[in-house]
């Protein structure tokens, strides 16, 4: 029996370990890794460069149309946005405006179409509305949970900031994002508490779930 390309959707709060798990899973399964947060981050960076208002939906859509998304070859192949590097996309300036940029329905619909195209041949796709809106029929849906303190500590390590600063920034962004896309597990999603498991254990648990969910019946 032929089956359509596998899509694994990973949702969860900022700092819950989504990217680490998604990249590990994609590498282990030989699939591309699509981090959709980078797409919104690049749009926020583009708006800053162009001095565009985060309230101007039309200008933001035009800027979004100018972004070029690729799957960079590697193990796993990963989404990259032409002309935007990690330092810019993870800067405090971008993180403080990305939620405002991402709240516009026209922008979200445009991003959603691009994300579906990027996942068409199968992918591990990560982001806060991926299992609920973008790929509601994904073969496997995982929702990552972690305590606020754990998320702040993880983010502080990644960004080399103090845990207090990182925690405050995460909470402010969570609160803004919640107004656009409430953070809750999609129907059929399996919840993994990454605070209780280490990185390797989280990956093992996710691989076990993927195997179980995709085994021929
Ligand atoms: O996942 P990450 O923290 O990189 O996402 C950055 C921001 O992009 C989120 O805070 C949210 O505002 C937006 N985002 C979104 N929908 C997605 C992925 C990210 O609105 N699927």
């Amino acid at each position: 029996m032929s089956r359509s390309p596998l899509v694994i959707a990973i949702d969860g709060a900022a700092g819950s370990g989504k990217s680490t798990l998604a990249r590990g899973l994609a590498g282990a399964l030989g699939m591309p890794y699509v981090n959709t947060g980078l797409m919104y981050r690049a749009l926020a960076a583009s708006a800053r460069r162009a001095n565009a208002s985060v309230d101007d939906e039309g200008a933001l859509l035009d800027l979004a149309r100018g972004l070029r998304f690729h799957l960079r070859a590697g193990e796993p192949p990963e989404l990259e946005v032409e002309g935007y590097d990690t330092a810019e996309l993870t800067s405090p300036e971008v993180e403080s405006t990305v939620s405002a940029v991402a709240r516009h329905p026209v922008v979200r619909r445009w991003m959603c179409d691009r994300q579906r195209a990027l996942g068409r041949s199968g992918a591990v796709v990560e982001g806060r509305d991926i299992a609920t809106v973008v790929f509601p029929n994904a073969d496997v849906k995982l929702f990552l949970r972690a305590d606020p303190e754990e998320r702040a500590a993880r983010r502080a390590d990644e960004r080399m900031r103090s845990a207090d600063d990182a925690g405050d920034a995460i909470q402010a962004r969570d609160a803004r994002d919640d107004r656009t896309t409430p953070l809750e597990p999609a129907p059929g999603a399996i919840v993994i508490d990454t605070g209780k498991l280490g990185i390797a254990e989280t990956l093992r648990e996710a691989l076990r779930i993927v195997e179980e969910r995709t085994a021929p019946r």
Side-chain angles (χ1 to χ4, degrees), residues 8 14 26 39-40 42 54 65 69 73 80 90 109 123 128-131 133 143-144 186-187 206:
I8 299 174
M39 301 166 79
Y40 290 99
V54 295
R65 289 194 170 117
F69 304 121
E80 68 176 0
T90 57
R109 272 198 295 277
R128 60 182 293 141
D129 64 342
I130 294 307
V133 176
F143 184 92
L144 304 194

PDB file of all heavy atoms in Angstrom, residues 8 14 26 39-40 42 54 65 69 73 80 90 109 123 128-131 133 143-144 186-187 206:
ATOM      1  N   ILE A   8       5.367  15.064  10.461  1.00  0.00           N
ATOM      2  CA  ILE A   8       5.385  15.043  11.926  1.00  0.00           C
ATOM      3  C   ILE A   8       5.296  16.491  12.390  1.00  0.00           C
ATOM      4  O   ILE A   8       6.137  17.318  12.015  1.00  0.00           O
ATOM      5  CB  ILE A   8       6.667  14.376  12.447  1.00  0.00           C
ATOM      6  CG1 ILE A   8       6.719  12.924  11.943  1.00  0.00           C
ATOM      7  CG2 ILE A   8       6.727  14.435  13.974  1.00  0.00           C
ATOM      8  CD1 ILE A   8       8.001  12.200  12.279  1.00  0.00           C
ATOM      9  N   ALA A  14       7.686  28.451  23.736  1.00  0.00           N
ATOM     10  CA  ALA A  14       9.077  28.859  23.540  1.00  0.00           C
ATOM     11  C   ALA A  14       9.938  28.251  24.645  1.00  0.00           C
ATOM     12  O   ALA A  14       9.555  28.255  25.814  1.00  0.00           O
ATOM     13  CB  ALA A  14       9.179  30.376  23.576  1.00  0.00           C
ATOM     14  N   ALA A  26      14.212  14.657  12.843  1.00  0.00           N
ATOM     15  CA  ALA A  26      14.394  14.742  11.386  1.00  0.00           C
ATOM     16  C   ALA A  26      15.681  14.013  10.996  1.00  0.00           C
ATOM     17  O   ALA A  26      15.698  13.253  10.019  1.00  0.00           O
ATOM     18  CB  ALA A  26      14.440  16.205  10.946  1.00  0.00           C
ATOM     19  N   MET A  39      10.479  31.632   9.932  1.00  0.00           N
ATOM     20  CA  MET A  39       9.789  32.373   8.864  1.00  0.00           C
ATOM     21  C   MET A  39       9.202  33.674   9.434  1.00  0.00           C
ATOM     22  O   MET A  39       9.313  34.736   8.835  1.00  0.00           O
ATOM     23  CB  MET A  39       8.710  31.482   8.248  1.00  0.00           C
ATOM     24  CG  MET A  39       9.300  30.195   7.665  1.00  0.00           C
ATOM     25  SD  MET A  39       8.088  28.902   7.275  1.00  0.00           S
ATOM     26  CE  MET A  39       7.445  29.498   5.721  1.00  0.00           C
ATOM     27  N   TYR A  40       8.576  33.561  10.615  1.00  0.00           N
ATOM     28  CA  TYR A  40       8.024  34.764  11.262  1.00  0.00           C
ATOM     29  C   TYR A  40       9.150  35.661  11.775  1.00  0.00           C
ATOM     30  O   TYR A  40       9.057  36.888  11.730  1.00  0.00           O
ATOM     31  CB  TYR A  40       7.084  34.367  12.396  1.00  0.00           C
ATOM     32  CG  TYR A  40       5.798  33.745  11.911  1.00  0.00           C
ATOM     33  CD1 TYR A  40       5.623  32.369  11.903  1.00  0.00           C
ATOM     34  CD2 TYR A  40       4.762  34.543  11.432  1.00  0.00           C
ATOM     35  CE1 TYR A  40       4.452  31.799  11.443  1.00  0.00           C
ATOM     36  CE2 TYR A  40       3.580  33.980  10.965  1.00  0.00           C
ATOM     37  CZ  TYR A  40       3.430  32.598  10.976  1.00  0.00           C
ATOM     38  OH  TYR A  40       2.271  32.041  10.509  1.00  0.00           O
ATOM     39  N   ALA A  42      12.098  35.988  10.421  1.00  0.00           N
ATOM     40  CA  ALA A  42      12.670  36.685   9.256  1.00  0.00           C
ATOM     41  C   ALA A  42      11.768  37.841   8.841  1.00  0.00           C
ATOM     42  O   ALA A  42      12.252  38.904   8.443  1.00  0.00           O
ATOM     43  CB  ALA A  42      12.860  35.711   8.098  1.00  0.00           C
ATOM     44  N   VAL A  54       4.765  47.351  12.554  1.00  0.00           N
ATOM     45  CA  VAL A  54       4.257  45.996  12.813  1.00  0.00           C
ATOM     46  C   VAL A  54       2.729  45.958  12.743  1.00  0.00           C
ATOM     47  O   VAL A  54       2.124  44.890  12.823  1.00  0.00           O
ATOM     48  CB  VAL A  54       4.723  45.452  14.183  1.00  0.00           C
ATOM     49  CG1 VAL A  54       6.224  45.272  14.203  1.00  0.00           C
ATOM     50  CG2 VAL A  54       4.253  46.339  15.330  1.00  0.00           C
ATOM     51  N   ARG A  65       6.349  38.381   0.997  1.00  0.00           N
ATOM     52  CA  ARG A  65       6.479  37.882  -0.387  1.00  0.00           C
ATOM     53  C   ARG A  65       7.918  37.989  -0.893  1.00  0.00           C
ATOM     54  O   ARG A  65       8.302  37.296  -1.822  1.00  0.00           O
ATOM     55  CB  ARG A  65       5.566  38.667  -1.317  1.00  0.00           C
ATOM     56  CG  ARG A  65       4.103  38.347  -1.106  1.00  0.00           C
ATOM     57  CD  ARG A  65       3.261  38.878  -2.272  1.00  0.00           C
ATOM     58  NE  ARG A  65       1.915  38.378  -2.192  1.00  0.00           N
ATOM     59  CZ  ARG A  65       0.834  39.147  -2.031  1.00  0.00           C
ATOM     60  NH1 ARG A  65       0.954  40.457  -1.932  1.00  0.00           N
ATOM     61  NH2 ARG A  65      -0.359  38.591  -1.970  1.00  0.00           N
ATOM     62  N   PHE A  69      12.623  31.141   0.994  1.00  0.00           N
ATOM     63  CA  PHE A  69      12.815  29.992   1.897  1.00  0.00           C
ATOM     64  C   PHE A  69      13.431  28.827   1.119  1.00  0.00           C
ATOM     65  O   PHE A  69      12.984  28.527   0.009  1.00  0.00           O
ATOM     66  CB  PHE A  69      11.467  29.543   2.470  1.00  0.00           C
ATOM     67  CG  PHE A  69      10.723  30.633   3.183  1.00  0.00           C
ATOM     68  CD1 PHE A  69       9.463  31.024   2.772  1.00  0.00           C
ATOM     69  CD2 PHE A  69      11.292  31.281   4.274  1.00  0.00           C
ATOM     70  CE1 PHE A  69       8.769  32.026   3.429  1.00  0.00           C
ATOM     71  CE2 PHE A  69      10.606  32.287   4.940  1.00  0.00           C
ATOM     72  CZ  PHE A  69       9.339  32.662   4.511  1.00  0.00           C
ATOM     73  N   ALA A  73      20.835  21.820   2.239  1.00  0.00           N
ATOM     74  CA  ALA A  73      21.290  20.434   2.262  1.00  0.00           C
ATOM     75  C   ALA A  73      22.029  20.167   3.569  1.00  0.00           C
ATOM     76  O   ALA A  73      22.722  21.051   4.088  1.00  0.00           O
ATOM     77  CB  ALA A  73      22.203  20.161   1.074  1.00  0.00           C
ATOM     78  N   GLU A  80      16.065  27.365   5.712  1.00  0.00           N
ATOM     79  CA  GLU A  80      16.806  28.606   5.953  1.00  0.00           C
ATOM     80  C   GLU A  80      16.141  29.719   5.167  1.00  0.00           C
ATOM     81  O   GLU A  80      15.414  29.475   4.198  1.00  0.00           O
ATOM     82  CB  GLU A  80      18.278  28.466   5.566  1.00  0.00           C
ATOM     83  CG  GLU A  80      18.515  28.306   4.101  1.00  0.00           C
ATOM     84  CD  GLU A  80      20.005  28.274   3.752  1.00  0.00           C
ATOM     85  OE1 GLU A  80      20.848  28.371   4.655  1.00  0.00           O
ATOM     86  OE2 GLU A  80      20.304  28.149   2.556  1.00  0.00           O
ATOM     87  N   THR A  90      17.606  35.582  16.124  1.00  0.00           N
ATOM     88  CA  THR A  90      17.395  35.295  17.555  1.00  0.00           C
ATOM     89  C   THR A  90      17.710  36.520  18.421  1.00  0.00           C
ATOM     90  O   THR A  90      17.813  36.402  19.639  1.00  0.00           O
ATOM     91  CB  THR A  90      18.269  34.105  18.012  1.00  0.00           C
ATOM     92  OG1 THR A  90      19.633  34.408  17.734  1.00  0.00           O
ATOM     93  CG2 THR A  90      17.888  32.817  17.309  1.00  0.00           C
ATOM     94  N   ARG A 109      -2.012  33.393   6.814  1.00  0.00           N
ATOM     95  CA  ARG A 109      -2.490  32.551   5.697  1.00  0.00           C
ATOM     96  C   ARG A 109      -1.378  32.361   4.674  1.00  0.00           C
ATOM     97  O   ARG A 109      -1.182  31.270   4.160  1.00  0.00           O
ATOM     98  CB  ARG A 109      -3.714  33.204   5.032  1.00  0.00           C
ATOM     99  CG  ARG A 109      -5.025  32.799   5.710  1.00  0.00           C
ATOM    100  CD  ARG A 109      -6.212  33.061   4.829  1.00  0.00           C
ATOM    101  NE  ARG A 109      -6.389  34.485   4.586  1.00  0.00           N
ATOM    102  CZ  ARG A 109      -7.016  35.324   5.425  1.00  0.00           C
ATOM    103  NH1 ARG A 109      -7.520  34.874   6.550  1.00  0.00           N
ATOM    104  NH2 ARG A 109      -7.142  36.601   5.131  1.00  0.00           N
ATOM    105  N   ALA A 123       8.096  15.956   6.098  1.00  0.00           N
ATOM    106  CA  ALA A 123       8.999  16.772   6.910  1.00  0.00           C
ATOM    107  C   ALA A 123       8.610  16.688   8.382  1.00  0.00           C
ATOM    108  O   ALA A 123       7.489  16.292   8.727  1.00  0.00           O
ATOM    109  CB  ALA A 123       8.937  18.243   6.473  1.00  0.00           C
ATOM    110  N   ARG A 128       4.010  26.913  16.620  1.00  0.00           N
ATOM    111  CA  ARG A 128       2.917  26.825  17.593  1.00  0.00           C
ATOM    112  C   ARG A 128       1.530  26.572  17.012  1.00  0.00           C
ATOM    113  O   ARG A 128       0.612  26.278  17.779  1.00  0.00           O
ATOM    114  CB  ARG A 128       2.934  27.989  18.574  1.00  0.00           C
ATOM    115  CG  ARG A 128       2.812  29.339  18.019  1.00  0.00           C
ATOM    116  CD  ARG A 128       2.910  30.350  19.144  1.00  0.00           C
ATOM    117  NE  ARG A 128       1.797  30.304  20.063  1.00  0.00           N
ATOM    118  CZ  ARG A 128       1.873  30.448  21.371  1.00  0.00           C
ATOM    119  NH1 ARG A 128       3.009  30.660  21.934  1.00  0.00           N
ATOM    120  NH2 ARG A 128       0.782  30.414  22.114  1.00  0.00           N
ATOM    121  N   ASP A 129       1.321  26.668  15.694  1.00  0.00           N
ATOM    122  CA  ASP A 129      -0.001  26.325  15.150  1.00  0.00           C
ATOM    123  C   ASP A 129       0.092  25.183  14.138  1.00  0.00           C
ATOM    124  O   ASP A 129      -0.817  24.973  13.347  1.00  0.00           O
ATOM    125  CB  ASP A 129      -0.632  27.547  14.469  1.00  0.00           C
ATOM    126  CG  ASP A 129       0.179  27.988  13.257  1.00  0.00           C
ATOM    127  OD1 ASP A 129       1.363  27.589  13.151  1.00  0.00           O
ATOM    128  OD2 ASP A 129      -0.368  28.711  12.408  1.00  0.00           O
ATOM    129  N   ILE A 130       1.206  24.461  14.142  1.00  0.00           N
ATOM    130  CA  ILE A 130       1.454  23.491  13.076  1.00  0.00           C
ATOM    131  C   ILE A 130       0.483  22.314  13.121  1.00  0.00           C
ATOM    132  O   ILE A 130      -0.065  21.915  12.097  1.00  0.00           O
ATOM    133  CB  ILE A 130       2.936  23.008  13.133  1.00  0.00           C
ATOM    134  CG1 ILE A 130       3.839  24.185  12.810  1.00  0.00           C
ATOM    135  CG2 ILE A 130       3.193  21.867  12.156  1.00  0.00           C
ATOM    136  CD1 ILE A 130       3.523  24.912  11.510  1.00  0.00           C
ATOM    137  N   ALA A 131       0.249  21.768  14.314  1.00  0.00           N
ATOM    138  CA  ALA A 131      -0.643  20.610  14.398  1.00  0.00           C
ATOM    139  C   ALA A 131      -2.112  21.026  14.421  1.00  0.00           C
ATOM    140  O   ALA A 131      -2.994  20.241  14.080  1.00  0.00           O
ATOM    141  CB  ALA A 131      -0.313  19.790  15.643  1.00  0.00           C
ATOM    142  N   VAL A 133      -3.462  24.070  12.903  1.00  0.00           N
ATOM    143  CA  VAL A 133      -3.931  24.805  11.714  1.00  0.00           C
ATOM    144  C   VAL A 133      -3.260  24.353  10.423  1.00  0.00           C
ATOM    145  O   VAL A 133      -3.923  24.090   9.422  1.00  0.00           O
ATOM    146  CB  VAL A 133      -3.681  26.333  11.902  1.00  0.00           C
ATOM    147  CG1 VAL A 133      -4.064  27.109  10.650  1.00  0.00           C
ATOM    148  CG2 VAL A 133      -4.426  26.855  13.122  1.00  0.00           C
ATOM    149  N   PHE A 143       3.189  17.452  21.292  1.00  0.00           N
ATOM    150  CA  PHE A 143       3.066  18.742  21.980  1.00  0.00           C
ATOM    151  C   PHE A 143       4.017  18.723  23.159  1.00  0.00           C
ATOM    152  O   PHE A 143       3.910  17.852  24.038  1.00  0.00           O
ATOM    153  CB  PHE A 143       1.620  18.945  22.451  1.00  0.00           C
ATOM    154  CG  PHE A 143       1.392  20.284  23.086  1.00  0.00           C
ATOM    155  CD1 PHE A 143       0.967  21.363  22.325  1.00  0.00           C
ATOM    156  CD2 PHE A 143       1.587  20.461  24.449  1.00  0.00           C
ATOM    157  CE1 PHE A 143       0.761  22.609  22.908  1.00  0.00           C
ATOM    158  CE2 PHE A 143       1.382  21.698  25.041  1.00  0.00           C
ATOM    159  CZ  PHE A 143       0.960  22.776  24.266  1.00  0.00           C
ATOM    160  N   LEU A 144       4.974  19.641  23.175  1.00  0.00           N
ATOM    161  CA  LEU A 144       5.977  19.648  24.246  1.00  0.00           C
ATOM    162  C   LEU A 144       5.603  20.623  25.346  1.00  0.00           C
ATOM    163  O   LEU A 144       5.207  21.758  25.073  1.00  0.00           O
ATOM    164  CB  LEU A 144       7.353  20.019  23.688  1.00  0.00           C
ATOM    165  CG  LEU A 144       7.886  19.153  22.553  1.00  0.00           C
ATOM    166  CD1 LEU A 144       9.371  19.419  22.350  1.00  0.00           C
ATOM    167  CD2 LEU A 144       7.662  17.676  22.812  1.00  0.00           C
ATOM    168  N   ALA A 186      -3.184  19.932  19.971  1.00  0.00           N
ATOM    169  CA  ALA A 186      -4.183  19.678  18.922  1.00  0.00           C
ATOM    170  C   ALA A 186      -4.892  18.369  19.237  1.00  0.00           C
ATOM    171  O   ALA A 186      -4.336  17.515  19.942  1.00  0.00           O
ATOM    172  CB  ALA A 186      -3.463  19.570  17.585  1.00  0.00           C
ATOM    173  N   PRO A 187      -6.110  18.188  18.711  1.00  0.00           N
ATOM    174  CA  PRO A 187      -6.764  16.890  18.884  1.00  0.00           C
ATOM    175  C   PRO A 187      -5.842  15.781  18.360  1.00  0.00           C
ATOM    176  O   PRO A 187      -5.264  15.926  17.278  1.00  0.00           O
ATOM    177  CB  PRO A 187      -8.022  17.004  17.993  1.00  0.00           C
ATOM    178  CG  PRO A 187      -8.259  18.478  17.833  1.00  0.00           C
ATOM    179  CD  PRO A 187      -6.912  19.136  17.927  1.00  0.00           C
ATOM    180  N   ALA A 206       9.994  10.161  21.501  1.00  0.00           N
ATOM    181  CA  ALA A 206       9.339  10.637  20.278  1.00  0.00           C
ATOM    182  C   ALA A 206       9.471   9.600  19.164  1.00  0.00           C
ATOM    183  O   ALA A 206       8.508   9.340  18.424  1.00  0.00           O
ATOM    184  CB  ALA A 206       9.955  11.970  19.840  1.00  0.00           C
TER     185      ALA A 206
END
